[in-house]
Amino acid sequence: MKIFIPRKAIPVSCMVLLLAFSTGAFSQSYIDEDFLEILEKNASFLLKERPSAFANNTVPDKWNKESAVILDFSRNILFDKKNSGGFFTRRERSLYFFEKNRLKIQLNDNNAVKAFSEIYFRYGSKEDGFIARVIKPGDTATTIDLKNAVGIEQNSDIPEFFSSFFDRVAGSNYQYYKVPIANLEPGDILEYVAVTKSKLDVSMSGYIEFSPIYEVCSKKYPIMHNEIIIETDDKSYFKSLSLNGAPSFKKESTSEKGFFRYVFSDKNREVEKDINFVSPLLQYPLVKFQVIYSNNDEVKGAFIGDKGELKSNFAREELALKAWEDYEKVGDLYIDRGVTVQAFINECWKELTKLGAKSMSDQDFINTVYYQFRNKVVFRSNYLSDKVFAYIFGSLLFQKNIKSEVIISIGNSTGKLNDILFEEEIRYVIRIDKKLYYNITDFSNPGELEESLLDNEAYIITAPEKKTKKQDIKPYSLPGTTAADNSLVTTILTELTPDMKSLKVARNSAYTGIQKSRVSSRVLGLTPYMFDDYRNYGGADPTEKMKSKEAEEYNKSVSTIKEEYAKKKPETVKDALSEEFSQRVTNVSFKVISDGRTQKKNTLSFNEGFELPDFVRRAGKKYLVNLAGLTGSQLRITPEERDRKNDIDVRYPRMLKWNIDFKIPAGYTAEGLAELNKSVDNETGTFTITAKQEKNLVQISIQKVYKMKSVPKERWKDMLSYIDAAYNSTFKYILLTPTK
Amino acid sequence: MKTRKPPSSWRNTRLAASLKLVRPARMLLLSFLFLSQSLVAQVLPEDQHDAEVLARTYKEDPVICQSSYHFFTFDKGTNSLKDKVVVIQEEAELEFLALKKYGALTYPEFYNKFIQLKQFKKSVKIGKSFVTSSKAGIDRSVSDENIFFDDSRVQYYPLRFADKGNMARITVKKEYSDAKYLTRLFFHQPYPVTEQVFEFKVPDWLTIDFKPYNFEGHKIEKKVTQKGGYTNYVFILKNLPASKNEFKQIGRAFTDPHLVIQVKSFESKGESLQGFDKTADVFKWNNRLYNMAGNEAEKLKPVLAKIIAGQKTDEEKIREIYYWVQDKIRYIAYEDGYSGYIPSSAQAVLTNKYGDCKGMANLLTEFLKLAGYNAHFTWIGTRQIPYPQSLPALCVNNHAITTLYFGGKEYFLDPTEKYVPFGENAYRIQGKEAMVANGDKFDIKKVPITTGNDHKVLTKADFTLTNQLLKGEIKVTLTGNERKDFHQIYQDLPISSQEKFLKGFLEFNNNNVEASGVKTSDLKNREIPVTITGNIDLSNYVQLISKDQFINLDFFPKTLESYLPDEKRVRGYDFDYVLSFEDEFSLTIPATQKFADVPEKLELNYEGYAFKGEYVVAGNKIVLKKYLLLKNSVIPKTEFDNWKKFLESIRVFSTYFFSVTAK
């Protein structure tokens, strides 16, 4: 949830002060007996409101073999500034949330009984209510006694089925309790009804965006009826979009003037079963929605519908305007405690001028800004959003009159450009001439692509005209990549250890593109890349400005950290190798050759040495060596996954190569090379393995290529052909036969 | 004693003081913060020197406790049951020294309803003085994940040091409202300690004993002085290395030096009051709390009648009752205050259909008694606890079961151990002494132990070789704990996953095995061995090289690699089970072919474990027979050399190929 106060942005921490929550004892203790009667009294009316879905006790036969089946899951949330449900005051300071939730689930086995053995409910305000009941087959409902309920610790996770909507979107701290369900057995139906009243002090804030909700229709169990009802007064706005075949929210009439009602209803939803290459938000039926409170139309700004409108999409003009408005506000945000983004930019510019920014060529300046900015990011505990990145980067370039363009898009695992519904979904990229600059990480270089923005539709936007608010909006396609751009080339020199019991491996791995982005954090973790990072932009050694005592302290700190890294890195490398080869590895060494963090040397390259005992097998006096297995574990598709329901999202095309040189031990000949050769190639991908002998070396070349980013499910068989070939090849051995 | 269900992977879930280095970039900033705000990080030369010297000895440890002093005094008081009891005050002061720049640890103090934390403070050394922080320790629950609700809480302070030689002090005041709940004190801590001192100022009106455990091999100094109506007992141990938790380690109480505190008796207003002097005193206390359960046997009758309806013999009735409690009562534990010691009433457990070990044992005992059988509520310690019942202390028992005398035999019935057949005992209580209630008296009985052969995984597979594919039939038979473990997993799976699980079971997590036609024994019957049969295809197992076929028939090797100790391992292993594997895999090849390169047999016999593996060729059939026995569940560290050789030999044996060539 984000709260805005007109004029200046406020630090997020102030938000807590605005939340006027009723609090209980935030520790484990028995529930106060006085609460029990109130809980029942407050919720009892909801039991009388029995919609047909909740009255149903019958599960379709097709789901008899499921662990549990949800008969009804219903959430009804009323956003009410008028406090129509309680005492009304003219100068009401709070926004009230009245929720009515109900769940009914049939538990078919021990597993489900265990999962619902303990249930949770809220008692954080005196209007909260809860009743849970168990219905035995052919019997009437028995109410669960809540007297054995105990309060749960603050910040404990509340399971999805029991958490109030408000607590999810507002991150609040109302007191929850848990209670074991007496006499619960397989075959029973468990049902509960819950009402909660939450309030939020909005006297200081004119505009609140509650966290967006992505409701994936399929759950852990099949669900017969899933309903969400949002009711708002005329101070709140609602937007929602259904995707991938999910039903939509429908606007319904209400009897009360000034209130609006939106209803989502989904029926007979199966459990999703695909495992690999799935992007749930892009492929599974889902509805996303958000409620926004705004106390006057001027404050509400763009990207919200009109009062009472069920907004489900935005014209590109609305999107562009919202994106630009948000972008412009970044300067007033705090980047660190007490430091605004603008102050940060000023400091950076000051340093850049000292570095001779004014006399630099434009390209040198752009690179210097990038690496200077990256140096600041390296020492942060979290990365910046790409909106903040774009603002700072663009602003610094502007100091030297370098014009940059702002590009907006959406993450490619979140949705399509036309489906942007929330501010949080808008992604930012900076373009200078034809070159794109994506958000900075510890390991990125100028112009390097970002996996979540590959191949996306986008808009180039400009500042709106002051009077007309008109903007230039140009459609733009963010670039994709080819498999060759995202490569891993592994060069392996290997031989048997003198005792012929293990395989001794010297391996160089070179990563580029998205492949590099994916592994840099793991590979360069516990290496001291950050300490000399200032050199990349020509910055001064941090100790230069320090007094001698400070410099001494700094140097001691750095050397301590380096020592600690040097000690811990081999352990993490050993663990990673053991996982890669599914066996214990020994004699591990590691050395970074190039960290891939400069434009000149943008390949991440490192050497590892290790020994693998299980790659050498004996057969009498002969030895079998699993050289093809040096690719590490390869993806296996299980029989259940071979029948695919969804299209395939490979994320990005990529090329993996292994060049293996094996030294044949003296006194042995190598056989079985021809048996290794295999080649599979189609439009979706490739797997090839070739083996030959050159003098006393066995040379094996292996290549696996995922050619496409997205593959239609009809071509799953094509993918399986090379995925299976790669998997099966890892079990191939060569034979070493003694010459005498 | 807090009786609770020890899960099969029983472990100490106390929040151990954790040692760690904080994030570097963050710490770098922090160090400048220290410098800019004050010279908090300034280190006295003598502290710097101490840190330099100690860091050479304790190379792996970022922080050492230079002095740990615990002082215990004794008063008289009353517990919530209105008993006159001995109350203990503990005052402790601990000084920590950073051995590394940015060394850090979290110091915890645990408490509950019987142990109050009266004062808990952290001070940081600035210059020559310690400055006390105004911040309270961070407080939270430390309930075990298996406990629904209890009163176990912790307060802790993170201690972070900017520099080597920085110091901090922790001061603690605790009150044990009843001396029974100060059961034992361990000298070793998760951090190294230069000097650990426990001092007890014992008044003349109190008779107390400090029972030493595992003192052999440690130079523990004991001083006893008398002055002014008090006897002071001081125990000192110096230069203690950090005690780190290790995977499947032998319980600390078996190896680490510690004191068991035994308040035997005390005088109050001329009256001599009994503490825990003899085992009977512990029983009296346990039995008193047991009797507070408030059982109303009449209320059990209707359900009992339904359970045993149709059962003819006594044994049938007993089985039905035992299995009904196992199956119908869920393990849910409330363990706050005396709820940790007083069982829920049998009728409450029956109504709720949930309870903890005490509640389940209580219900089972009452059911059996009501049905006319000689059943008794029983206290017992699991195998993690080394003490005999002759030690009068609450730390001896941590579990509750039912003892049944039937047909001239003793049965130790543990209803928390789901799917155990009548007549078999959970391994976690085997070999342990049980305190069996018998009215106002008690008996001590020993739970019999079983051998690895009683808990067997028997795998038999017959393959034929056709076109480089191994195809065959397989049968797996599980007995003893292996059968029970199978049931515990299988019966709790979602029904939608059970079929897949059975298939996966025959595939042994081997991605190259494909099982089909899976059949099982009657899985509703916990008393018969579990058998799973099916057809399996092994792909990627035959290497065709130069017209010969090389095959590794050992498709399910028991390498036990996860139990191979590395050079840093300090403690021995306690697997908490014994078992045996017996495999017989055969392969039949076409009559036109023959076997070559047949591996030699391997036979290994050690005191606690054994292995035998051999390939036997008969015509066009080869049979791999393997037998692995874990006789002891414990591998002491002194046995590590043999244990490593044992594991390595098995690993190598399992890698052997043989070849199939033309005749």
Side-chain angles (χ1 to χ4, degrees):
Chain A
M1 179 178 67
K2 287 189 297 188
I3 297 182
F4 297 94
I5 294 178
R7 295 187 300 267
K8 281 273 182 187
I10 56 165
V12 176
S13 56
C14 289
M15 185 179 83
V16 177
L17 302 174
L18 299 169
L19 304 178
F21 297 135
S22 163
T23 57
F26 291 114
S27 61
Q28 277 211 301
S29 57
Y30 284 97
I31 193 166
D32 189 321
E33 283 199 10
D34 294 343
F35 297 167
L36 301 177
E37 200 176 319
I38 302 170
L39 277 160
E40 185 169 353
K41 189 177 148 202
N42 288 342
S44 57
F45 79 95
L46 201 48
L47 270 185
K48 289 168 195 156
E49 290 178 11
R50 292 176 66 82
S52 57
F54 202 64
N56 175 40
N57 284 349
T58 310
V59 166
D61 289 346
K62 64 175 178 176
W63 287 335
N64 282 346
K65 286 272 181 183
E66 296 288 345
S67 181
V69 179
I70 300 167
L71 290 94
D72 186 26
F73 184 32
S74 167
R75 289 149 285 173
N76 182 321
I77 307 108
L78 169 65
F79 291 68
D80 187 2
K81 174 70 165 61
K82 292 176 178 174
N83 190 18
S84 59
F87 182 70
F88 178 78
T89 60
R90 285 182 68 188
R91 299 176 66 82
E92 181 56 57
R93 297 162 60 90
S94 298
L95 177 60
Y96 288 85
F97 301 77
F98 299 91
E99 288 187 53
K100 296 187 287 186
N101 297 334
R102 56 172 97 230
L103 172 74
K104 188 166 192 175
I105 183 167
Q106 178 169 307
L107 310 171
N108 290 336
D109 61 20
N110 288 336
N111 186 273
V113 167
K114 209 169 178 179
F116 286 87
S117 219
E118 298 161 11
I119 59 170
Y120 297 73
F121 62 90
R122 199 184 96 171
Y123 188 73
S125 78
K126 61 180 187 292
E127 289 87 359
D128 288 354
F130 183 81
I131 297 171
R133 312 194 305 180
V134 170
I135 304 165
K136 300 267 175 205
D139 204 350
T140 53
T142 307
T143 301
I144 305 297
D145 191 341
L146 303 180
K147 73 172 188 298
N148 288 335
V150 293
I152 63 169
E153 294 267 302
Q154 199 173 355
N155 300 325
S156 301
D157 285 337
I158 307 297
E160 179 193 0
F161 292 122
F162 302 103
S163 170
S164 97
F165 173 86
F166 174 76
D167 297 330
R168 281 171 71 196
V169 299
S172 58
N173 287 324
Y174 282 103
Q175 174 73 61
Y176 276 82
Y177 294 82
K178 62 177 180 179
V179 65
I181 310 229
N183 198 16
L184 190 67
E185 296 169 302
D188 291 350
I189 289 174
L190 168 70
E191 65 176 19
Y192 80 74
V193 291
V195 292
T196 58
K197 180 182 177 184
S198 313
K199 72 173 181 177
L200 187 64
D201 187 336
V202 292
S203 57
M204 296 287 287
S205 50
Y207 179 78
I208 301 170
E209 280 181 17
F210 294 97
S211 302
I213 298 283
Y214 292 80
E215 173 83 6
V216 176
C217 293
S218 60
K219 309 274 177 203
K220 185 180 176 185
Y221 306 111
I223 182 163
M224 293 175 67
H225 183 242
N226 180 15
E227 182 181 70
I228 302 170
I229 301 171
I230 305 286
E231 293 176 283
T232 70
D233 66 5
D234 57 6
K235 298 290 182 193
S236 295
Y237 299 79
F238 183 70
K239 52 186 179 179
S240 160
L241 178 61
S242 295
L243 293 164
N244 314 320
S248 304
F249 268 95
K250 306 266 187 245
K251 188 176 174 186
E252 292 185 355
S253 57
T254 58
S255 53
E256 201 169 347
K257 196 183 170 189
F259 277 82
F260 308 102
R261 178 182 165 96
Y262 310 95
V263 179
F264 164 81
S265 177
D266 186 40
K267 289 180 180 170
N268 297 321
R269 185 65 59 183
E270 301 276 357
V271 176
E272 293 286 350
K273 284 174 180 160
D274 282 342
I275 299 169
N276 286 295
F277 307 117
V278 176
S279 291
L281 299 186
L282 289 179
Q283 294 173 317
Y284 293 167
L286 83 117
V287 60
K288 55 183 183 179
F289 62 94
Q290 184 178 32
V291 178
I292 293 163
Y293 163 80
S294 180
N295 64 7
N296 71 57
D297 287 350
E298 286 177 21
V299 173
K300 85 179 176 68
F303 223 50
I304 301 174
D306 291 328
K307 202 170 284 182
E309 181 187 6
L310 200 174
K311 193 75 179 167
S312 57
N313 58 64
F314 293 93
R316 65 180 198 165
E317 289 76 15
E318 287 177 283
L319 171 62
L321 185 62
K322 175 63 178 170
W324 189 268
E325 283 178 354
D326 287 348
Y327 178 76
E328 275 198 318
K329 287 177 192 162
V330 169
D332 290 335
L333 298 177
Y334 288 108
I335 191 168
D336 279 315
R337 191 179 292 176
V339 181
T340 63
V341 169
Q342 193 54 51
F344 175 81
I345 292 166
N346 296 344
E347 272 304 302
C348 289
W349 173 241
K350 208 164 129 187
E351 188 184 2
L352 287 165
T353 52
K354 284 183 186 166
L355 292 172
K358 287 175 183 169
S359 60
M360 286 180 195
S361 70
D362 282 359
Q363 191 55 54
D364 283 349
F365 178 72
I366 293 166
N367 290 342
T368 304
V369 168
Y370 189 93
Y371 284 117
Q372 180 210 32
F373 193 1
R374 190 183 71 178
N375 184 252
K376 312 294 179 201
V377 169
V378 158
F379 288 95
R380 289 180 61 82
S381 56
N382 57 335
Y383 285 135
L384 298 168
S385 71
D386 49 24
K387 180 169 66 183
V388 174
F389 154 77
Y391 185 88
I392 294 172
F393 192 57
S395 300
L396 285 168
L397 300 182
F398 181 73
Q399 309 303 313
K400 204 170 146 59
N401 292 323
I402 296 173
K403 285 185 182 168
S404 59
E405 292 172 299
V406 176
I407 295 176
I408 58 166
S409 185
I410 184 172
N412 61 19
S413 57
T414 308
K416 309 276 185 204
L417 184 64
N418 290 338
D419 300 335
I420 289 181
L421 197 64
F422 314 128
E423 179 197 326
E424 289 85 348
E425 293 178 327
I426 306 173
R427 304 287 302 274
Y428 292 78
V429 181
I430 289 290
R431 189 170 88 147
I432 306 162
D433 292 331
K434 289 185 178 175
K435 196 166 178 182
L436 297 168
Y437 294 85
Y438 296 84
N439 196 2
I440 284 173
T441 71
D442 279 22
F443 316 104
S444 60
N445 292 304
E448 288 184 345
L449 299 178
E450 150 76 43
E451 179 184 330
S452 62
L453 291 168
L454 292 174
D455 283 321
N456 280 17
E457 292 305 307
Y459 296 126
I460 300 173
I461 62 170
T462 57
E465 284 178 27
K466 279 188 183 170
K467 284 185 183 174
T468 63
K469 297 242 172 183
K470 276 193 174 176
Q471 285 175 280
D472 272 348
I473 306 165
K474 291 181 200 158
Y476 182 77
S477 291
L478 289 169
T481 58
T482 64
D485 295 331
N486 309 307
S487 66
L488 160 62
V489 178
T490 308
T491 308
I492 294 171
L493 299 174
T494 183
E495 61 184 323
L496 295 186
T497 53
D499 62 6
M500 307 281 277
K501 285 185 174 172
S502 298
L503 199 56
K504 186 179 174 188
V505 179
R507 178 171 87 168
N508 173 267
S509 303
Y511 287 87
T512 64
I514 307 296
Q515 282 287 100
K516 180 182 76 168
S517 307
R518 280 210 164 185
V519 301
S520 287
S521 173
R522 176 179 62 79
V523 173
L524 297 177
L526 297 175
T527 69
Y529 63 85
M530 68 287 288
F531 297 118
D532 292 334
D533 187 71
Y534 64 89
R535 294 179 199 273
N536 290 306
Y537 72 97
D541 186 320
T543 58
E544 271 185 26
K545 290 181 193 166
M546 294 179 189
K547 292 174 185 169
S548 62
K549 199 157 199 169
E550 284 177 324
E552 186 187 339
E553 175 64 24
Y554 177 86
N555 288 329
K556 267 164 59 180
S557 302
V558 170
S559 60
T560 302
I561 292 164
K562 284 183 175 175
E563 274 174 33
E564 198 62 29
Y565 281 4
K567 200 167 77 183
K568 287 190 170 170
K569 186 65 181 174
E571 290 172 26
T572 61
V573 172
K574 188 175 178 180
D575 290 346
L577 288 167
S578 297
E579 193 180 331
E580 183 181 349
F581 293 104
S582 305
Q583 63 178 279
R584 184 177 287 246
V585 297
T586 54
N587 293 334
V588 172
S589 64
F590 173 83
K591 188 182 178 187
V592 175
I593 304 302
S594 161
D595 66 11
R597 300 174 67 251
T598 64
Q599 284 185 304
K600 281 185 183 171
K601 292 183 178 179
N602 62 4
T603 297
L604 171 65
S605 169
F606 56 95
N607 290 345
E608 292 157 300
F610 51 94
E611 288 179 17
L612 297 164
D614 283 354
F615 274 51
V616 183
R617 307 294 185 100
R618 268 184 64 185
K621 291 179 180 177
K622 302 164 192 152
Y623 287 88
L624 291 115
V625 187
N626 180 209
L627 296 177
L630 288 172
T631 56
S633 303
Q634 292 293 309
L635 177 65
R636 175 187 181 243
I637 306 297
T638 60
E640 300 84 51
E641 290 177 86
R642 288 175 180 269
D643 184 17
R644 193 169 174 98
K645 181 182 164 193
N646 291 294
D647 287 341
I648 301 129
D649 183 2
V650 183
R651 302 300 300 146
Y652 59 97
R654 51 195 178 270
M655 182 180 71
L656 314 168
K657 271 186 176 180
W658 294 266
N659 298 314
I660 301 166
D661 280 3
F662 171 70
K663 192 174 164 188
I664 301 166
Y668 287 85
T669 58
E671 297 172 66
L673 306 192
E675 288 85 343
L676 288 178
N677 293 336
K678 177 95 182 170
S679 180
V680 177
D681 184 46
N682 58 49
E683 278 183 34
T684 65
T686 298
F687 176 77
T688 58
I689 174 167
T690 55
K692 62 179 180 178
Q693 184 170 344
E694 286 287 332
K695 296 182 180 173
N696 70 333
L697 287 181
V698 173
Q699 296 184 321
I700 299 175
S701 176
I702 304 171
Q703 181 165 291
K704 185 180 184 184
V705 184
Y706 292 87
K707 292 181 183 174
M708 299 163 71
K709 177 178 176 295
S710 302
V711 181
K713 65 183 178 200
E714 293 74 23
R715 309 214 62 170
W716 180 226
K717 276 189 178 171
D718 288 345
M719 281 193 74
L720 289 179
S721 65
Y722 70 89
I723 289 172
D724 288 345
Y727 173 76
N728 291 330
S729 78
T730 59
F731 299 93
K732 299 279 186 192
Y733 286 73
I734 66 157
L735 181 68
L736 299 176
T737 308
T739 48
K740 290 179 186 175
Chain B
M1 177 192 73
K2 279 206 167 191
T3 54
R4 55 181 58 167
K5 179 195 178 187
S8 47
S9 56
W10 179 260
R11 61 184 183 276
N12 185 354
T13 51
R14 271 169 58 109
L15 176 76
S18 54
L19 303 171
K20 59 191 175 192
L21 280 167
V22 294
R23 282 185 53 141
R26 202 182 163 84
M27 200 62 214
L28 204 64
L29 294 172
L30 206 64
S31 70
F32 287 113
L33 206 65
F34 277 126
L35 276 172
S36 60
Q37 288 181 342
S38 65
L39 290 180
V40 175
Q42 195 175 39
V43 178
L44 293 180
E46 55 267 35
D47 295 339
Q48 175 79 31
H49 175 263
D50 286 352
E52 295 286 354
V53 172
L54 290 165
R56 277 178 226 137
T57 306
Y58 301 101
K59 289 176 184 161
E60 299 290 321
D61 299 294
V63 177
I64 190 168
C65 179
Q66 272 200 299
S67 67
S68 171
Y69 176 69
H70 298 259
F71 182 58
F72 299 88
T73 56
F74 302 83
D75 298 316
K76 293 168 196 171
T78 313
N79 66 13
S80 60
L81 302 175
K82 306 272 194 301
D83 297 342
K84 288 176 182 171
V85 293
V86 175
V87 176
I88 301 179
Q89 309 289 340
E90 177 186 0
E91 291 185 19
E93 184 175 288
L94 302 94
E95 285 189 3
F96 292 92
L97 173 73
L99 300 182
K100 288 183 179 173
K101 193 170 178 63
Y102 307 143
L105 70 75
T106 300
Y107 182 85
E109 274 296 340
F110 299 91
Y111 67 99
N112 58 32
K113 280 189 179 165
F114 299 119
I115 306 168
Q116 293 176 57
L117 193 53
K118 297 269 184 179
Q119 189 187 88
F120 186 39
K121 288 186 175 175
K122 177 180 85 166
S123 313
V124 176
K125 194 172 185 183
I126 300 174
K128 292 193 173 181
S129 327
F130 282 89
V131 176
T132 302
S133 165
S134 58
K135 284 186 181 172
I138 300 162
D139 189 285
R140 69 175 173 88
S141 166
V142 279
S143 291
D144 185 299
E145 60 182 12
N146 295 297
I147 304 296
F148 181 76
F149 172 52
D150 75 1
D151 55 0
S152 305
R153 299 196 68 81
V154 67
Q155 279 193 29
Y156 63 92
Y157 279 111
L159 301 179
R160 295 197 180 98
F161 300 100
D163 259 318
K164 185 190 269 190
N166 279 155
M167 291 193 72
R169 179 185 287 163
I170 293 286
T171 50
V172 183
K173 284 186 183 173
K174 279 165 112 170
E175 181 177 288
Y176 299 79
S177 59
D178 187 337
K180 293 179 190 68
Y181 300 107
L182 176 61
T183 54
R184 54 188 182 168
L185 293 166
F186 283 87
F187 287 84
H188 288 76
Q189 301 298 326
Y191 40 80
V193 181
T194 305
E195 185 176 71
Q196 179 71 274
V197 181
F198 296 123
E199 180 170 355
F200 304 88
K201 188 181 178 185
V202 180
D204 286 350
W205 50 262
L206 174 64
T207 307
I208 193 167
D209 197 6
F210 304 101
K211 286 225 156 51
Y213 276 83
N214 307 321
F215 272 31
E216 308 78 25
H218 297 277
K219 287 184 182 172
I220 296 173
E221 190 181 348
K222 180 181 177 184
K223 294 180 192 170
V224 183
T225 55
Q226 284 188 315
K227 192 178 175 184
Y230 290 94
T231 305
N232 265 38
Y233 296 85
V234 184
F235 297 87
I236 304 169
L237 182 56
K238 293 180 179 174
N239 304 321
L240 294 79
S243 170
K244 306 273 169 66
N245 282 333
E246 293 178 313
F247 172 63
K248 292 273 181 188
Q249 71 178 36
I250 295 174
R252 287 186 70 196
F254 285 93
T255 54
D256 289 6
H258 62 282
L259 293 166
V260 172
I261 291 104
Q262 187 190 345
V263 171
K264 294 183 157 189
S265 65
F266 61 101
E267 286 178 14
S268 177
K269 295 180 180 171
E271 185 186 5
S272 178
L273 297 164
Q274 200 67 8
F276 287 163
D277 186 25
K278 294 173 185 159
T279 304
D281 299 326
V282 175
F283 170 72
K284 194 175 167 189
W285 172 254
N286 286 348
N287 201 37
R288 179 181 165 199
L289 297 182
Y290 165 57
N291 286 325
M292 288 166 73
N295 293 330
E296 295 176 39
E298 282 297 309
K299 292 186 174 172
L300 311 182
K301 276 186 174 173
V303 176
L304 176 65
K306 280 185 189 170
I307 295 170
I308 57 177
Q311 305 304 323
K312 290 174 187 164
T313 68
D314 286 334
E315 190 167 323
E316 283 171 357
K317 289 175 186 171
I318 290 166
R319 283 167 198 268
E320 283 304 307
I321 294 168
Y322 185 27
Y323 298 159
W324 190 93
V325 178
Q326 279 185 28
D327 295 348
K328 301 289 184 185
I329 308 298
R330 287 164 288 150
Y331 183 85
I332 292 177
Y334 284 84
E335 307 245 327
D336 62 310
Y338 281 111
S339 302
Y341 305 87
I342 302 171
S344 295
S345 70
Q347 64 274 16
V349 176
L350 180 61
T351 305
N352 290 332
K353 298 261 177 68
Y354 63 76
D356 62 6
C357 63
K358 303 182 297 294
M360 289 192 205
N362 187 23
L363 175 63
L364 178 60
T365 306
E366 291 303 307
F367 263 154
L368 289 169
K369 279 159 65 178
L370 196 58
Y373 303 109
N374 190 6
H376 303 264
F377 192 85
T378 300
W379 297 267
I380 195 166
T382 56
R383 291 184 62 261
Q384 288 282 313
I385 293 174
Y387 316 113
Q389 293 289 358
S390 56
L391 175 69
L394 289 182
C395 57
V396 174
N397 298 310
N398 66 342
H399 192 35
I401 58 171
T402 298
T403 302
L404 172 74
Y405 300 108
F406 175 70
K409 285 185 186 174
E410 293 152 3
Y411 293 88
F412 301 95
L413 310 180
D414 182 351
T416 65
E417 190 78 33
K418 308 290 184 192
Y419 305 106
V420 170
F422 177 62
E424 292 185 20
N425 300 315
Y427 187 72
R428 62 169 184 247
I429 57 170
Q430 289 184 13
K432 296 292 298 180
E433 289 178 339
M435 176 184 273
V436 183
N438 190 2
D440 292 338
K441 295 179 180 167
F442 67 97
D443 300 311
I444 303 295
K445 301 284 181 184
K446 196 166 186 174
V447 181
I449 53 174
T450 51
T451 70
N453 283 323
D454 296 319
H455 313 285
K456 187 177 282 188
V457 181
L458 174 65
T459 311
K460 194 169 184 313
D462 296 302
F463 296 103
T464 53
L465 176 61
T466 318
N467 298 327
Q468 291 184 63
L469 255 186
L470 296 179
K471 288 178 181 255
E473 292 174 350
I474 189 164
K475 180 179 181 184
V476 181
T477 307
L478 307 170
T479 59
N481 285 338
E482 298 306 307
R483 170 193 53 195
K484 179 260 303 175
D485 287 349
F486 172 88
H487 276 300
Q488 287 185 350
I489 296 168
Y490 176 82
Q491 309 289 0
D492 266 2
L493 286 172
I495 47 176
S496 51
S497 307
Q498 286 178 334
E499 195 176 319
K500 190 177 172 189
F501 173 81
L502 290 173
K503 189 167 172 286
F505 196 90
L506 283 191
E507 292 170 353
F508 299 97
N509 293 323
N510 183 330
N511 288 337
N512 289 317
V513 181
E514 179 67 32
S516 59
V518 179
K519 290 178 185 164
T520 66
S521 54
D522 178 8
L523 295 181
K524 288 181 181 158
N525 187 343
R526 77 200 70 200
E527 296 180 341
I528 58 173
V530 166
T531 59
I532 308 165
T533 59
N535 303 314
I536 57 172
D537 289 2
L538 274 169
S539 55
N540 290 319
Y541 260 72
V542 179
Q543 306 288 323
L544 178 64
I545 300 174
S546 305
K547 294 183 182 172
D548 290 340
Q549 297 177 84
F550 292 84
I551 297 166
N552 173 269
L553 199 53
D554 199 356
F555 71 101
F556 177 39
K558 285 90 181 170
T559 58
L560 302 173
E561 271 215 339
S562 56
Y563 300 121
L564 185 64
D566 64 17
E567 61 280 2
K568 287 184 182 171
R569 176 120 190 159
V570 174
R571 299 173 190 277
Y573 288 101
D574 185 351
F575 305 128
D576 206 23
Y577 58 75
V578 290
L579 84 168
S580 56
F581 292 106
E582 196 172 326
D583 300 339
E584 188 175 312
F585 306 147
S586 76
L587 172 66
T588 305
I589 56 175
T592 53
Q593 295 177 322
K594 64 174 184 179
F595 296 104
D597 305 315
V598 177
E600 291 175 1
K601 76 173 182 181
L602 174 69
E603 192 162 355
L604 304 162
N605 262 306
Y606 294 93
E607 194 180 324
Y609 38 93
F611 177 83
K612 189 177 177 184
E614 65 177 332
Y615 287 84
V616 179
V617 176
N620 62 337
K621 186 174 181 180
I622 189 167
V623 181
L624 165 62
K625 290 181 178 176
K626 284 200 307 177
Y627 175 68
L628 173 65
L629 173 66
L630 273 180
K631 300 178 211 170
N632 295 341
S633 70
V634 169
I635 309 289
K637 195 179 178 188
T638 51
E639 186 64 19
F640 273 6
D641 283 346
N642 284 338
W643 178 243
K644 284 185 200 172
K645 278 183 215 160
F646 179 74
L647 295 186
E648 175 61 10
S649 301
I650 296 172
R651 188 193 70 77
V652 171
F653 182 82
S654 71
T655 67
Y656 287 147
F657 278 61
F658 56 82
S659 57
V660 176
T661 63
K663 272 184 180 171

